Amino acid sequence: MNHSTLITTSTHLEGYKITKQLGLVKGITVRSRSIVGNVAGSFMTIFGGKSTIYTQLCENAREEALQLMIQHGNELGCNAIINMRYESNDIMSGVTEVLAYGTAVVVEKIPS
């Protein structure tokens, strides 16, 4: 992960001034569950409790989409991404897309 890219779900960054907007950046990944994952996940739904298999799948998909969004922003020359959001959609049974998106900006720290 590029730790120098600031990311927020807000429309501004406290202590920073936006000097340039570079536009929309996004990262998208499409994931499917394996047969083994589906069987193990099915057992979890029968017996109840936290589905760690599906939780891990979701976490991995979100992280991949986030990293792709950051990479897209870095290619545009941003040092921050504001108004960041996630979306997910089922493409077909067992196949999900995860999208991370936001506005790439250049910010400068406001002197204290």
Side-chain angles (χ1 to χ4, degrees):
M1 178 174 179
N2 184 343
H3 293 288
S4 62
T5 302
L6 302 169
I7 300 174
T8 184
T9 57
S10 179
T11 56
H12 66 282
L13 281 163
E14 186 81 22
Y16 291 85
K17 177 176 99 173
I18 296 172
T19 60
K20 188 174 185 181
Q21 288 195 19
L22 302 173
L24 176 71
V25 287
K26 61 189 179 306
I28 187 170
T29 187
V30 177
R31 294 289 180 111
S32 63
R33 298 182 300 263
S34 68
I35 293 292
V36 174
N38 278 334
V39 170
S42 295
F43 280 121
M44 292 299 290
T45 59
I46 291 169
F47 298 110
K50 181 178 178 183
S51 176
T52 55
I53 291 169
Y54 291 139
T55 300
Q56 191 59 49
L57 177 69
C58 290
E59 283 297 325
N60 290 344
R62 284 187 193 106
E63 183 62 25
E64 183 177 350
L66 176 69
Q67 293 306 317
L68 290 168
M69 179 193 68
I70 292 169
Q71 179 183 340
H72 185 200
N74 288 338
E75 290 168 1
L76 294 179
C78 81
N79 63 354
I81 298 171
I82 60 171
N83 206 25
M84 188 270 170
R85 301 286 188 265
Y86 284 110
E87 283 191 22
S88 65
N89 297 295
D90 289 334
I91 294 175
M92 59 186 284
S93 180
V95 180
T96 302
E97 99 178 302
V98 176
L99 171 67
Y101 64 96
T103 303
V105 295
V106 176
V107 297
E108 291 179 1
K109 186 130 179 89
I110 298 171
S112 342

